[in-house]
Amino acid sequence: MSISSEHKPLGKQVTGSLHTLSPIVELNVGGEMYTTTLSTLKKHPGSKLAEMFTGQPKLRTDSEGRFFIDRPGTYFKYILEYLRSNQVPTQCIQDVYKEALFYDIEPLIKQLEDSPQIFGELVARKQFLARVPNYSENIELMIRIARAEAVASRQSSVIVCVVRTEEDAARCQDALNSLDMDKKSVVKFGPWKAAPSISDLLDCIQMDVEAKGYKISFQPHVAEKGFRFKSHDFFYKFLFTWW
């Protein structure tokens, strides 16, 4: 005897074409529940989100039969609001931008990239840091050194040498040669050809290390007596606080 469709398990219903489903769709996005329509989700046909709900289902369902998307649910409400009313979010811009990139909603991506927050990050700060040799690698090196020095300590420090010009780089090398410390433990940034100053770069270093979850501060490094240069011209101590 056949089982009527109303008694079929919800998990079985979604194995057919989405066109046979109700136009009302229930979603579970990272544990946050949403109800919307197929037409809203498919508003931008070229997007990854529209593709998820076009043709054969491409998503798993949860125990209640809701389509499950393994993404941060908190920010999906801003994605839905844009799809429903073309309203560009003014909150959580960086996080919504990441979700717009994931769902590949091109019009929203472009509008968010015009916002001051994303424009400043992508066009100004990121473009500057791209001109600082080995910037990302040096951030990771700083963290490795700090972690190695953290055993049985509340704080650990990393000495950073920052030089903006080739001339400063040569002077910094001379200064390094007169430092009474392991030169391998000194992380060097620069030189670079861009308008931002040494102070701007130091702020970027702190910002990017803190973005990885570390608590950090910095100050000019004062060398021992007999140092041939003003150490604060080049050297800074970054202090990691662990607890």
Side-chain angles (χ1 to χ4, degrees):
M1 185 175 69
S2 63
I3 301 175
S4 63
S5 60
E6 63 184 8
H7 294 297
K8 290 180 182 178
L10 286 171
K12 299 292 185 182
Q13 290 182 5
V14 298
T15 59
S17 170
L18 279 167
H19 296 297
T20 65
L21 296 178
S22 165
I24 307 301
V25 179
E26 291 189 348
L27 302 172
N28 176 345
V29 185
E32 298 281 342
M33 310 307 165
Y34 294 94
T35 302
T36 186
T37 66
L38 275 176
S39 60
T40 295
L41 296 170
K42 295 164 65 176
K43 184 173 182 180
H44 297 285
S47 69
K48 182 178 179 179
L49 184 62
E51 182 183 331
M52 290 177 182
F53 295 93
T54 300
Q56 293 296 321
K58 300 173 179 64
L59 296 170
R60 296 179 180 179
T61 56
D62 65 12
S63 59
E64 299 296 323
R66 293 173 291 230
F67 288 106
F68 179 73
I69 303 176
D70 194 13
R71 295 295 294 180
T74 304
Y75 311 114
F76 190 72
K77 63 182 178 182
Y78 300 109
I79 300 293
L80 268 187
E81 188 60 34
Y82 176 77
L83 295 175
R84 288 166 173 163
S85 61
N86 291 322
Q87 181 175 328
V88 179
T90 57
Q91 303 177 52
C92 308
I93 301 297
Q94 298 280 358
D95 294 302
V96 177
Y97 179 65
K98 292 177 184 177
E99 297 310 297
L101 288 173
F102 174 78
Y103 294 114
D104 195 20
I105 304 173
E106 193 64 31
L108 177 56
I109 292 171
K110 290 181 178 178
Q111 290 185 69
L112 288 173
E113 287 179 348
D114 283 337
S115 69
Q117 299 94 322
I118 302 298
F119 179 87
E121 177 69 13
L122 294 180
V123 177
R125 201 176 84 91
K126 288 295 187 186
Q127 289 298 315
F128 158 53
L129 295 178
R131 301 183 185 189
V132 180
N134 304 315
Y135 177 81
S136 297
E137 293 85 347
N138 283 340
I139 293 292
E140 295 301 326
L141 177 57
M142 284 180 63
I143 292 171
R144 288 199 301 272
I145 293 172
R147 291 175 70 93
E149 299 292 330
V151 179
S153 301
R154 183 172 187 180
Q155 295 178 320
S156 56
S157 62
V158 178
I159 303 301
V160 168
C161 175
V162 183
V163 292
R164 185 172 179 181
T165 67
E166 293 289 351
E167 181 182 10
D168 284 346
R171 294 177 63 206
C172 177
Q173 188 58 50
D174 287 342
L176 271 174
N177 291 335
S178 61
L179 269 178
D180 184 20
M181 65 167 60
D182 181 4
K183 298 176 181 60
K184 293 182 180 179
S185 67
V186 178
V187 183
K188 178 185 171 186
F189 288 85
W192 64 87
K193 293 181 180 180
S197 65
I198 287 177
S199 176
D200 294 326
L201 180 64
L202 292 169
D203 288 341
C204 286
I205 294 171
Q206 181 174 16
M207 183 186 308
D208 289 329
V209 173
E210 287 180 340
K212 295 179 180 292
Y214 296 92
K215 184 177 180 181
I216 189 173
S217 61
F218 67 88
Q219 62 188 34
H221 175 61
V222 179
E224 302 294 331
K225 291 181 179 179
F227 193 63
R228 291 189 296 153
F229 298 91
K230 293 180 180 178
S231 58
H232 56 74
D233 285 347
F234 307 114
F235 296 97
Y236 298 84
K237 178 187 289 187
F238 278 80
L239 196 64
F240 288 71
T241 301
W242 301 102
W243 50 274

